[in-house]
């Protein structure tokens, strides 16, 4: 029998099935989702992957929200600055209130002043309410915000009727994007 050739014909019915070149959805999901026939090590690997993927999605959503809120906060402050710095804003009405300030008071009656520090991007309205917690997490249009708003200590006297405190403590966040009080570090050395 040595040297004999055997011709084997394989019909389509007996032919081994070709593996699909593109994975199906089920095969794709089996790579990442634990199945009941998976070995323990594979279940652990897939579980760790799923947890890491969920953390990635949540972190990405948080960062997108954080930076979108920064853009929104910047727009709110820019709009207020335009009103405050308008040509007629330094004119006073019959009550002695600056016209620009009167417009800002219509938007938020808690406004008490304006703070601008040359050489920085600090150019914000200052608010005051009856507690020191509200503006920690509310912006100048009284919406919830991680940026909050610059505000005066509630114990400070600001206004015509009750006189003015000689020293007024202002609070505001030091934001990573350089806004609010983040640029105060430029005043570490005054000489």
């Amino acid at each position: 029998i040595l040297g004999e050739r055997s011709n084997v014909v394989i019909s389509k019915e007996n032919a081994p099935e070709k593996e699909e070149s593109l994975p199906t959805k089920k095969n794709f999901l089996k790579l990442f989702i634990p199945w009941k026939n998976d070995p323990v090590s594979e279940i652990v690997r897939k579980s760790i992957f799923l947890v890491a993927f969920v953390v990635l999605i949540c972190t990405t959503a948080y960062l997108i929200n954080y930076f979108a809120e920064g853009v929104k906060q910047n727009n709110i402050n820019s709009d207020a600055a335009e009103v405050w710095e308008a040509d007629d804003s330094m004119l006073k009405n019959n009550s002695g209130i600056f016209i620009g300030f009167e417009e800002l008071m219509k938007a938020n009656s808690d406004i008490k002043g304006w703070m601008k520090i040359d050489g920085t991007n600090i150019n914000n309205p200052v608010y005051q309410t009856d507690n020191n917690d509200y503006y920690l997490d509310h912006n100048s249009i009284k919406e919830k915000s991680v940026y909050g708003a610059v505000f005066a200590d509630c114990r400070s006297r600001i206004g015509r009727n009750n006189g003015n405190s000689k020293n007024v403590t202002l609070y505001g966040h030091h934001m990573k994007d350089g806004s609010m009080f983040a640029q105060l570090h430029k005043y570490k050395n005054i000489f």
Side-chain angles (χ1 to χ4, degrees):
I1 301 199
L2 287 174
E4 286 186 25
R5 275 191 178 181
S6 124
N7 290 334
V8 179
V9 177
I10 300 176
S11 67
K12 285 187 179 180
E13 295 171 0
N14 296 336
E17 293 181 22
K18 293 183 182 177
E19 291 186 24
E20 294 179 21
S21 59
L22 296 175
T24 62
K25 283 185 183 179
K26 188 173 180 181
N27 288 341
F28 181 75
L29 291 176
K30 280 187 174 185
L31 292 173
F32 304 107
I33 298 176
W35 295 86
K36 76 176 169 181
N37 294 334
D38 284 344
V40 174
S41 62
E42 193 65 10
I43 291 173
V44 169
R45 181 193 68 81
K46 290 177 181 180
S47 297
I48 291 171
F49 170 79
L50 288 175
V51 169
F53 186 71
V54 168
V55 168
L56 174 71
I57 296 298
C58 292
T59 304
T60 302
Y62 175 80
L63 289 173
I64 289 170
N65 183 51
Y66 179 82
F67 288 110
E69 195 167 335
V71 170
K72 179 180 179 181
Q73 185 67 24
N74 188 36
N75 290 339
I76 290 169
N77 282 345
S78 295
D79 292 345
E82 282 181 27
V83 171
W84 177 246
E85 294 170 353
D87 292 338
D88 63 347
S89 67
M90 292 300 139
L91 301 174
K92 293 183 179 181
N93 65 13
N94 295 337
S95 303
I97 297 174
F98 290 113
I99 292 173
F101 206 71
E102 187 177 45
E103 290 299 314
L104 295 172
M105 287 178 74
K106 289 178 186 175
N108 185 343
S109 61
D110 292 340
I111 192 166
K112 297 296 180 186
W114 195 273
M115 176 183 58
K116 182 174 184 175
I117 301 176
D118 292 333
T120 70
N121 66 353
I122 298 172
N123 188 17
N124 298 333
V126 177
Y127 299 92
Q128 185 182 37
T129 188
D130 61 356
N131 65 68
N132 286 338
D133 296 325
Y134 184 77
Y135 284 108
L136 285 174
D137 60 0
H138 285 80
N139 62 20
S140 58
I141 57 175
K142 297 187 175 186
E143 292 178 343
K144 279 278 205 184
S145 171
V146 295
Y147 281 74
V150 175
F151 62 96
D153 190 285
C154 65
R155 296 166 290 205
S156 298
R157 293 183 320 275
I158 302 172
R160 293 180 176 191
N161 300 340
N162 55 358
N164 290 322
S165 296
K166 290 187 179 188
N167 295 308
V168 177
T169 303
L170 298 180
Y171 300 101
H173 295 297
H174 177 127
M175 300 305 287
K176 298 270 186 215
D177 66 357
S179 63
M180 304 288 287
F181 284 155
Q183 292 200 348
L184 280 180
H185 71 277
K186 291 184 176 182
Y187 286 91
K188 283 182 182 175
N189 301 318
I190 37 182
F191 300 106

mmCIF file of all heavy atoms in Angstrom, residues 151-172:
data_model
loop_
_atom_site.group_PDB
_atom_site.id
_atom_site.type_symbol
_atom_site.label_atom_id
_atom_site.label_comp_id
_atom_site.label_asym_id
_atom_site.label_seq_id
_atom_site.Cartn_x
_atom_site.Cartn_y
_atom_site.Cartn_z
ATOM 1 N N PHE A 151 -19.099 85.805 47.011
ATOM 2 C CA PHE A 151 -20.084 86.379 47.924
ATOM 3 C C PHE A 151 -19.400 86.946 49.164
ATOM 4 O O PHE A 151 -18.306 86.535 49.548
ATOM 5 C CB PHE A 151 -21.147 85.345 48.319
ATOM 6 C CG PHE A 151 -20.630 84.150 49.059
ATOM 7 C CD1 PHE A 151 -20.674 84.097 50.447
ATOM 8 C CD2 PHE A 151 -20.098 83.067 48.372
ATOM 9 C CE1 PHE A 151 -20.205 82.988 51.133
ATOM 10 C CE2 PHE A 151 -19.630 81.952 49.050
ATOM 11 C CZ PHE A 151 -19.673 81.910 50.436
ATOM 12 N N ALA A 152 -20.096 87.917 49.752
ATOM 13 C CA ALA A 152 -19.606 88.568 50.968
ATOM 14 C C ALA A 152 -20.110 87.804 52.178
ATOM 15 O O ALA A 152 -21.198 87.219 52.157
ATOM 16 C CB ALA A 152 -20.086 90.012 51.012
ATOM 17 N N ASP A 153 -19.317 87.822 53.232
ATOM 18 C CA ASP A 153 -19.712 87.182 54.483
ATOM 19 C C ASP A 153 -21.055 87.758 54.936
ATOM 20 O O ASP A 153 -21.286 88.964 54.863
ATOM 21 C CB ASP A 153 -18.638 87.443 55.542
ATOM 22 C CG ASP A 153 -18.855 86.632 56.786
ATOM 23 O OD1 ASP A 153 -19.772 86.980 57.560
ATOM 24 O OD2 ASP A 153 -18.127 85.643 56.993
ATOM 25 N N CYS A 154 -21.926 86.887 55.416
ATOM 26 C CA CYS A 154 -23.280 87.315 55.793
ATOM 27 C C CYS A 154 -23.274 88.278 56.981
ATOM 28 O O CYS A 154 -24.231 89.026 57.186
ATOM 29 C CB CYS A 154 -24.161 86.100 56.080
ATOM 30 S SG CYS A 154 -23.652 85.118 57.500
ATOM 31 N N ARG A 155 -22.196 88.312 57.760
ATOM 32 C CA ARG A 155 -22.123 89.213 58.914
ATOM 33 C C ARG A 155 -21.645 90.611 58.538
ATOM 34 O O ARG A 155 -21.718 91.540 59.339
ATOM 35 C CB ARG A 155 -21.197 88.616 59.976
ATOM 36 C CG ARG A 155 -21.737 87.295 60.530
ATOM 37 C CD ARG A 155 -20.690 86.574 61.283
ATOM 38 N NE ARG A 155 -19.689 86.093 60.305
ATOM 39 C CZ ARG A 155 -18.903 85.062 60.489
ATOM 40 N NH1 ARG A 155 -18.943 84.401 61.618
ATOM 41 N NH2 ARG A 155 -18.053 84.696 59.565
ATOM 42 N N SER A 156 -21.180 90.768 57.298
ATOM 43 C CA SER A 156 -20.716 92.086 56.852
ATOM 44 C C SER A 156 -21.919 92.991 56.591
ATOM 45 O O SER A 156 -22.947 92.548 56.097
ATOM 46 C CB SER A 156 -19.904 91.958 55.574
ATOM 47 O OG SER A 156 -18.754 91.188 55.789
ATOM 48 N N ARG A 157 -21.755 94.258 56.934
ATOM 49 C CA ARG A 157 -22.805 95.240 56.662
ATOM 50 C C ARG A 157 -22.460 95.946 55.362
ATOM 51 O O ARG A 157 -21.422 96.599 55.258
ATOM 52 C CB ARG A 157 -22.929 96.226 57.817
ATOM 53 C CG ARG A 157 -23.448 95.606 59.101
ATOM 54 C CD ARG A 157 -23.631 96.625 60.225
ATOM 55 N NE ARG A 157 -22.584 97.641 60.328
ATOM 56 C CZ ARG A 157 -21.431 97.473 60.990
ATOM 57 N NH1 ARG A 157 -21.174 96.340 61.599
ATOM 58 N NH2 ARG A 157 -20.543 98.452 61.036
ATOM 59 N N ILE A 158 -23.344 95.782 54.381
ATOM 60 C CA ILE A 158 -23.140 96.434 53.087
ATOM 61 C C ILE A 158 -24.453 97.098 52.707
ATOM 62 O O ILE A 158 -25.482 96.451 52.592
ATOM 63 C CB ILE A 158 -22.747 95.417 51.997
ATOM 64 C CG1 ILE A 158 -21.486 94.661 52.399
ATOM 65 C CG2 ILE A 158 -22.571 96.099 50.650
ATOM 66 C CD1 ILE A 158 -21.135 93.519 51.483
ATOM 67 N N GLY A 159 -24.426 98.389 52.525
ATOM 68 C CA GLY A 159 -25.647 99.087 52.110
ATOM 69 C C GLY A 159 -25.797 100.418 52.801
ATOM 70 O O GLY A 159 -25.118 100.721 53.783
ATOM 71 N N ARG A 160 -26.712 101.197 52.290
ATOM 72 C CA ARG A 160 -26.928 102.546 52.810
ATOM 73 C C ARG A 160 -27.612 102.557 54.177
ATOM 74 O O ARG A 160 -27.290 103.357 55.025
ATOM 75 C CB ARG A 160 -27.809 103.327 51.843
ATOM 76 C CG ARG A 160 -27.148 103.597 50.555
ATOM 77 C CD ARG A 160 -28.081 104.352 49.688
ATOM 78 N NE ARG A 160 -27.399 104.701 48.477
ATOM 79 C CZ ARG A 160 -27.855 105.538 47.601
ATOM 80 N NH1 ARG A 160 -29.016 106.097 47.778
ATOM 81 N NH2 ARG A 160 -27.169 105.806 46.529
ATOM 82 N N ASN A 161 -28.573 101.681 54.348
ATOM 83 C CA ASN A 161 -29.408 101.749 55.549
ATOM 84 C C ASN A 161 -28.686 101.335 56.823
ATOM 85 O O ASN A 161 -28.968 101.872 57.883
ATOM 86 C CB ASN A 161 -30.656 100.880 55.366
ATOM 87 C CG ASN A 161 -31.485 101.347 54.199
ATOM 88 O OD1 ASN A 161 -31.350 102.479 53.766
ATOM 89 N ND2 ASN A 161 -32.338 100.491 53.695
ATOM 90 N N ASN A 162 -27.796 100.381 56.751
ATOM 91 C CA ASN A 162 -27.148 99.902 57.974
ATOM 92 C C ASN A 162 -25.654 100.192 58.003
ATOM 93 O O ASN A 162 -24.929 99.629 58.794
ATOM 94 C CB ASN A 162 -27.407 98.405 58.169
ATOM 95 C CG ASN A 162 -26.984 97.580 56.980
ATOM 96 O OD1 ASN A 162 -26.527 98.120 55.981
ATOM 97 N ND2 ASN A 162 -27.140 96.277 57.079
ATOM 98 N N GLY A 163 -25.191 101.097 57.173
ATOM 99 C CA GLY A 163 -23.777 101.448 57.146
ATOM 100 C C GLY A 163 -22.958 100.349 56.492
ATOM 101 O O GLY A 163 -23.486 99.317 56.095
ATOM 102 N N ASN A 164 -21.692 100.577 56.373
ATOM 103 C CA ASN A 164 -20.807 99.602 55.743
ATOM 104 C C ASN A 164 -19.764 99.116 56.734
ATOM 105 O O ASN A 164 -19.238 99.904 57.519
ATOM 106 C CB ASN A 164 -20.097 100.215 54.533
ATOM 107 C CG ASN A 164 -21.031 100.479 53.392
ATOM 108 O OD1 ASN A 164 -21.934 99.695 53.128
ATOM 109 N ND2 ASN A 164 -20.839 101.597 52.709
ATOM 110 N N SER A 165 -19.448 97.845 56.675
ATOM 111 C CA SER A 165 -18.357 97.304 57.478
ATOM 112 C C SER A 165 -17.047 97.846 56.937
ATOM 113 O O SER A 165 -16.902 98.069 55.729
ATOM 114 C CB SER A 165 -18.346 95.775 57.392
ATOM 115 O OG SER A 165 -19.505 95.234 57.957
ATOM 116 N N LYS A 166 -16.076 98.068 57.829
ATOM 117 C CA LYS A 166 -14.771 98.542 57.382
ATOM 118 C C LYS A 166 -14.017 97.447 56.641
ATOM 119 O O LYS A 166 -13.239 97.724 55.741
ATOM 120 C CB LYS A 166 -13.960 99.055 58.565
ATOM 121 C CG LYS A 166 -14.499 100.333 59.126
ATOM 122 C CD LYS A 166 -13.598 100.901 60.182
ATOM 123 C CE LYS A 166 -14.195 102.201 60.666
ATOM 124 N NZ LYS A 166 -13.327 102.921 61.555
ATOM 125 N N ASN A 167 -14.221 96.207 57.049
ATOM 126 C CA ASN A 167 -13.597 95.059 56.390
ATOM 127 C C ASN A 167 -14.701 94.103 55.959
ATOM 128 O O ASN A 167 -15.566 93.755 56.760
ATOM 129 C CB ASN A 167 -12.643 94.324 57.342
ATOM 130 C CG ASN A 167 -11.467 95.192 57.723
ATOM 131 O OD1 ASN A 167 -10.789 95.731 56.861
ATOM 132 N ND2 ASN A 167 -11.228 95.328 59.012
ATOM 133 N N VAL A 168 -14.638 93.697 54.719
ATOM 134 C CA VAL A 168 -15.625 92.759 54.184
ATOM 135 C C VAL A 168 -14.872 91.544 53.664
ATOM 136 O O VAL A 168 -13.977 91.668 52.827
ATOM 137 C CB VAL A 168 -16.454 93.396 53.041
ATOM 138 C CG1 VAL A 168 -17.418 92.380 52.448
ATOM 139 C CG2 VAL A 168 -17.207 94.622 53.549
ATOM 140 N N THR A 169 -15.224 90.384 54.182
ATOM 141 C CA THR A 169 -14.599 89.139 53.731
ATOM 142 C C THR A 169 -15.374 88.603 52.546
ATOM 143 O O THR A 169 -16.599 88.467 52.607
ATOM 144 C CB THR A 169 -14.597 88.086 54.864
ATOM 145 O OG1 THR A 169 -13.922 88.638 55.992
ATOM 146 C CG2 THR A 169 -13.932 86.809 54.425
ATOM 147 N N LEU A 170 -14.655 88.317 51.465
ATOM 148 C CA LEU A 170 -15.276 87.745 50.273
ATOM 149 C C LEU A 170 -14.866 86.291 50.144
ATOM 150 O O LEU A 170 -13.725 85.928 50.410
ATOM 151 C CB LEU A 170 -14.844 88.510 49.019
ATOM 152 C CG LEU A 170 -15.216 89.979 48.955
ATOM 153 C CD1 LEU A 170 -14.711 90.591 47.654
ATOM 154 C CD2 LEU A 170 -16.707 90.176 49.093
ATOM 155 N N TYR A 171 -15.800 85.463 49.709
ATOM 156 C CA TYR A 171 -15.552 84.052 49.503
ATOM 157 C C TYR A 171 -15.779 83.710 48.032
ATOM 158 O O TYR A 171 -16.655 84.274 47.373
ATOM 159 C CB TYR A 171 -16.506 83.195 50.347
ATOM 160 C CG TYR A 171 -16.403 83.425 51.822
ATOM 161 C CD1 TYR A 171 -17.327 84.213 52.485
ATOM 162 C CD2 TYR A 171 -15.378 82.832 52.557
ATOM 163 C CE1 TYR A 171 -17.245 84.413 53.855
ATOM 164 C CE2 TYR A 171 -15.288 83.032 53.924
ATOM 165 C CZ TYR A 171 -16.222 83.820 54.562
ATOM 166 O OH TYR A 171 -16.134 84.008 55.910
ATOM 167 N N GLY A 172 -15.003 82.780 47.554
ATOM 168 C CA GLY A 172 -15.163 82.283 46.186
ATOM 169 C C GLY A 172 -14.253 81.084 46.005
ATOM 170 O O GLY A 172 -13.291 80.895 46.748
#
